[in-house]
Amino acid sequence: MSVLINQQSKVIVQGLTGGEGTFHAGQMLEYGTKVVGGVVPGKGGSTHLNLPVFNTVAEAIGQTGADTSVVFVPPAFAADAIMEAADAGIKVIVAITEGIPVADMVRVKSFIDTKSTILVGPNCPGVISPGKAKIGIMPGFIHQEGSIGVVSRSGTLTYEAVDQLTKLGLGQSTCIGIGGDPIIGTTTLNAVKMLMNDPDTEGIVMIGEIGGSMETEAALWIKEHGTKPVVGFIAGQTAPPGRRMGHAGAIVGGKDDTAEAKMKVMRACGINVVDSPANIGVTMKQALGK
Amino acid sequence: MNIHEYQAKSILKRHGVIIQEGIVASTPAEAVEAAKTIQGQTGSQFWVIKAQIHAGGRGKGGGVKVAKSLDEVRTISEKIIGMNLVTPQTGLEGKGVHKVLIAQDVYYPGPTSRLEFYMSILLDRKSGRNVVVYSPDGGVDIEEVAAKTPERIFREEIDPAYGVLPFQGRRIAYNLGLTGSVALKMVSFVENLYKSYLSVDASLFEINPVLKTTDDIILAVDAKVNIDDNALYRQSEILAMRDFSEENPYEIEAGKHNLNFVKLDGNVGCMVNGAGLAMATMDIIKLSGGEPANFLDVGGGANAQTVEAGLKIILEDPNVKAVLINIFGGIVRCDRVANGVVEAYKKLGNIKVPVIVRLQGTNAEEGKAVIDGSGLKVYSAITLKEAADLVNRHVA
């Protein structure tokens, strides 16, 4: 089992014909993901990568039975693409696009809250259930099928953690890149809950960063309801306050959203917090008693 | 992106918020002319001279003064323009002042009591909504109010579908202790502040203080705005307000190469693909006995040009004693990055500090072989631990 996606997920690519969409759709197909079509307004009726292209998400669902979408639409149009997918009844939307204006995401959040859709991202590497499906831009080959769930706000830092796990023989059940923006669909807590409830996940790696309070909320929940070992890391222990560290969401705004404060709460909630990101893999191995 | 007080006030005024009027000046002579004009327009007897820098706490550093004559406007402006202003928010190095705002006096005597409030609209990440945060205790450090008397800070969440509804505006006014016609003026003030906030894609629009004058006018005495960088593509007017003198020259240079760079004070430079890994690399440097000299995310395309541009900027800092390049190859191949590093290294020539290159992921071994076979003073690593040990050996 896995969370969010599996072998049966039927995926449409919003923005299929663009550079990013084309490249990563190809990679997803190669990985074995069931990509069934693309949505590009104005290009309906054509084919791309041997996939049918539709004008609207609703049409794509009608023709292909898609239940999942991945969004590569440019920032100015991405919010609209997400809302269209949610409105059409897509169950899981993975938004890869980086640079969506926050004001647009305020509207998306409000819109999505009235639907039964789960949004992952934006500004994220996507979701992968190794050996089953890859919906996103992560390099497939570093992953291995297994029982560790990974939730992270970052891209390459997640790959780093996954690589450590795989090299220690710890495969992954599902890796969820939740994204680095201030407003995202699936929060750290949402992702941790899913993985905690997944019978095939034995341990969870939770990678956060400065800014916001998502890791603190997840830690407090884990303290009360956690049933599996959790290894945690917060990036940005050396980040100065008030400066944006690349990710739009990575900015220290007060005393509670520093790396130090978050790591303290996580430790107090029984999470195995590592100071160095080099120790994520080995610490998980120890926590599992392997 | 940040803008100056005078720019923020021009946005407020356009959306119907009453402001403390003022004219910006770059020289003492301009300041005196501005003072005369303001006097003509508003009848103001005094003037407030306000340093225009992108930092708060200006008053505490001597950047805000009252002038009671045109002579004083000149002498005070002479002092403030060109000064290096140190405030609690600038850091010890301070910021150079190039412009002053000559503002009308709004603290004149009158029939009713004068009140100062705090109000800001900002993004609440937890709810994913914008909120009005306000307090009857304005004109003081709001962090202090939050720490000492949190019950004096109120919040009003805004539903994006409806905006600030009239009853919410009234609730704000009543919580601020206002009644009657002046309460209705506060309702308009909040509505227009929200319009201003939306119009420029702000993530913070802070007015401290909001003043109720002695003749019952509600106006903005100061204004601080943060603009969402992701929205700048549709904010051409705001982009034109960018003041490069407020920014670090290295960061401006890095921006030209599409590098995401933040200057820090340490001794180990770093260059990384991905923001999260870049922060984690800074943390590794610290744990290895060094201090990060910068944050630098080269993004997805780590090629010879970006590596060269990044190295150049890092090496201009004389405090840098070593450089750590940390690339996790996913889509980007490590051997390509390694070739890029070697090429950039040779092109820059005469690099006096050790360069540590950590390549992991796609073709990591091939990448390491390229570095090791280059004959350059470049140290290679594959695991994060090896990279950390190399940093430790060279700087600790």
Side-chain angles (χ1 to χ4, degrees):
Chain A
M1 250 217 20
S2 55
V3 302
L4 288 168
I5 62 170
N6 57 40
Q7 299 98 312
Q8 275 75 49
S9 300
K10 284 188 178 175
V11 185
I12 50 163
V13 179
Q14 292 180 263
L16 175 68
T17 54
E20 296 277 304
T22 300
F23 179 77
H24 290 291
Q27 297 278 310
M28 284 186 262
L29 283 165
E30 204 172 291
Y31 195 81
T33 309
K34 266 192 198 148
V35 182
V36 296
V39 174
V40 183
K43 294 196 177 168
S46 61
T47 57
H48 189 71
L49 303 174
N50 291 324
L51 296 167
V53 179
F54 303 95
N55 278 327
T56 69
V57 177
E59 206 185 330
I61 294 175
Q63 299 289 319
T64 65
D67 52 15
T68 305
S69 113
V70 57
V71 178
F72 288 101
V73 174
F77 313 104
D80 185 51
I82 295 168
M83 291 190 279
E84 183 190 349
D87 185 65
I90 289 284
K91 292 194 175 66
V92 175
I93 304 170
V94 179
I96 307 297
T97 309
E98 178 178 3
I100 303 177
V102 179
D104 293 8
M105 282 310 300
V106 170
R107 281 152 50 87
V108 169
K109 173 105 175 51
S110 176
F111 186 86
I112 290 262
D113 283 350
T114 65
K115 313 278 176 194
S116 54
T117 303
I118 296 176
L119 171 67
V120 180
N123 189 14
C124 78
V127 183
I128 184 169
S129 286
K132 299 188 180 80
K134 163 180 129 102
I135 300 177
I137 59 173
M138 66 289 282
F141 76 94
I142 60 170
H143 299 81
Q144 182 185 309
E145 221 174 322
S147 59
I148 307 299
V150 179
V151 47
S152 170
R153 278 166 73 179
S154 151
T156 45
L157 179 55
T158 316
Y159 310 161
E160 172 68 42
V162 165
D163 189 62
Q164 288 177 23
L165 292 169
T166 297
K167 286 190 172 137
L168 290 166
L170 299 172
Q172 303 89 44
S173 52
T174 306
C175 304
I176 310 167
I178 59 171
D181 276 358
I183 299 182
I184 52 176
T186 298
T187 63
T188 309
L189 174 58
N190 298 149
V192 163
K193 275 185 187 172
M194 286 183 229
L195 293 168
M196 210 56 97
N197 292 328
D198 173 32
D200 288 345
T201 297
E202 286 175 31
I204 299 170
V205 172
M206 176 174 132
I207 299 170
E209 59 190 37
I210 52 168
S213 58
M214 286 197 305
E215 296 86 357
T216 306
E217 288 151 27
L220 294 171
W221 183 87
I222 289 167
K223 189 184 177 189
E224 296 299 318
H225 307 282
T227 51
K228 299 166 187 176
V230 180
V231 171
F233 173 71
I234 301 290
Q237 297 166 59
T238 49
R243 298 299 309 271
R244 167 175 163 168
M245 297 284 114
H247 287 160
I251 181 162
V252 171
K255 62 181 183 347
D256 297 329
D257 66 349
T258 63
E260 196 191 350
K262 290 187 184 189
M263 288 162 97
K264 195 176 161 194
V265 173
M266 285 160 65
R267 280 204 176 95
C269 292
I271 295 171
N272 302 284
V273 177
V274 293
D275 288 314
S276 168
N279 298 333
I280 293 171
V282 290
T283 307
M284 178 48 85
K285 194 162 182 161
Q286 284 160 7
L288 290 169
K290 287 190 179 170
Chain B
M1 194 188 126
N2 298 322
I3 56 174
H4 288 296
E5 174 195 356
Y6 76 92
Q7 296 164 328
K9 280 180 166 172
S10 72
I11 294 161
L12 289 172
K13 190 174 179 181
R14 191 189 319 153
H15 291 94
V17 177
I18 301 172
I19 56 165
Q20 173 201 41
E21 293 288 343
I23 295 172
V24 72
S26 306
T27 64
E30 277 179 28
V32 171
E33 282 312 305
K36 286 180 191 162
T37 308
I38 287 295
Q39 188 162 45
Q41 284 173 357
T42 66
S44 184
Q45 296 303 304
F46 302 147
W47 301 269
V48 190
I49 320 283
K50 307 168 97 174
Q52 298 296 291
I53 59 166
H54 289 178
R58 292 168 299 170
K60 286 177 189 159
V64 179
K65 301 268 185 204
V66 175
K68 297 192 171 174
S69 67
L70 290 174
D71 264 354
E72 281 187 19
V73 169
R74 180 186 303 278
T75 52
I76 292 169
S77 299
E78 276 168 357
K79 258 185 220 154
I80 294 181
I81 297 170
M83 84 183 285
N84 191 53
L85 183 55
V86 180
T87 84
Q89 291 181 21
T90 58
L92 289 173
E93 70 277 12
K95 282 194 161 190
V97 181
H98 307 288
K99 286 186 173 119
V100 288
L101 182 64
I102 310 301
Q104 76 176 118
D105 170 34
V106 285
Y107 288 78
Y108 44 80
T112 65
S113 60
R114 181 188 302 128
L115 297 168
E116 286 187 315
F117 312 118
Y118 170 90
M119 185 173 295
S120 62
I121 299 183
L122 55 92
L123 174 76
D124 176 46
R125 296 170 62 148
K126 204 168 169 180
S127 64
R129 289 185 170 196
N130 296 308
V131 290
V132 185
V133 175
Y134 62 102
S135 172
D137 301 329
V140 294
D141 198 353
I142 194 66
E143 282 79 12
E144 223 163 272
V145 179
K148 286 182 186 155
T149 49
E151 73 281 2
R152 303 271 296 166
I153 294 184
F154 300 89
R155 293 161 49 91
E156 193 70 45
E157 197 175 287
I158 306 168
D159 186 321
Y162 305 111
V164 181
L165 293 163
F167 77 87
Q168 292 184 296
R170 290 197 300 274
R171 181 152 61 200
I172 291 170
Y174 298 149
N175 279 335
L176 290 174
L178 300 173
T179 52
S181 65
V182 72
L184 296 180
K185 288 179 187 170
M186 180 56 83
V187 175
S188 310
F189 184 92
V190 180
E191 285 169 355
N192 293 332
L193 177 59
Y194 181 59
K195 278 184 207 156
S196 308
Y197 175 91
L198 288 185
S199 78
V200 295
D201 273 302
S203 54
L204 169 74
F205 215 128
E206 181 182 62
I207 314 292
N208 190 19
V210 176
L211 181 71
K212 186 197 83 70
T213 62
T214 52
D215 51 357
D216 283 354
I217 297 167
I218 303 288
L219 58 79
V221 180
D222 195 2
K224 182 190 173 196
V225 185
N226 295 340
I227 311 282
D228 173 18
D229 288 347
N230 286 353
L232 289 175
Y233 74 88
R234 62 186 181 199
Q235 292 291 345
S236 53
E237 197 186 344
I238 295 294
L239 265 180
M241 291 180 177
R242 185 168 170 191
D243 182 351
F244 287 95
S245 71
E246 287 284 333
E247 298 176 31
N248 179 293
Y250 298 126
E251 293 177 15
I252 295 170
E253 180 62 25
K256 288 180 193 160
H257 298 279
N258 284 323
L259 300 172
N260 210 329
F261 180 84
V262 179
K263 180 81 192 74
L264 302 168
D265 298 328
N267 57 358
V268 181
C270 57
M271 186 179 346
V272 188
N273 65 332
L277 189 59
M279 279 187 274
T281 303
M282 287 158 53
D283 297 340
I284 289 250
I285 288 169
K286 171 100 174 175
L287 290 167
S288 305
E291 288 286 341
N294 64 279
F295 165 93
L296 174 52
D297 173 14
V298 297
N303 55 34
Q305 286 78 34
T306 51
V307 171
E308 186 188 338
L311 264 181
K312 214 168 156 184
I313 292 162
I314 291 172
L315 292 170
E316 275 191 50
D317 180 350
N319 296 327
V320 168
K321 299 288 176 274
V323 178
L324 171 58
I325 299 176
N326 185 10
I327 304 292
F328 196 101
I331 309 307
V332 50
R333 282 165 37 195
C334 290
D335 52 332
R336 283 224 186 134
V337 176
N339 280 317
V341 171
V342 171
E343 207 179 300
Y345 195 99
K346 285 181 178 159
K347 208 165 166 195
L348 286 170
N350 197 27
I351 294 178
K352 295 195 177 65
V353 300
V355 175
I356 299 155
V357 183
R358 184 269 178 156
L359 299 166
Q360 178 63 288
T362 312
N363 293 5
E365 295 290 344
E366 290 87 336
K368 187 178 191 310
V370 169
I371 298 291
D372 293 344
S374 69
L376 300 173
K377 206 177 147 194
V378 182
Y379 304 88
S380 66
I382 286 192
T383 69
L384 260 191
K385 177 85 177 58
E386 286 164 4
D389 291 345
L390 280 169
V391 170
N392 179 267
R393 197 192 307 159
H394 288 286
V395 296

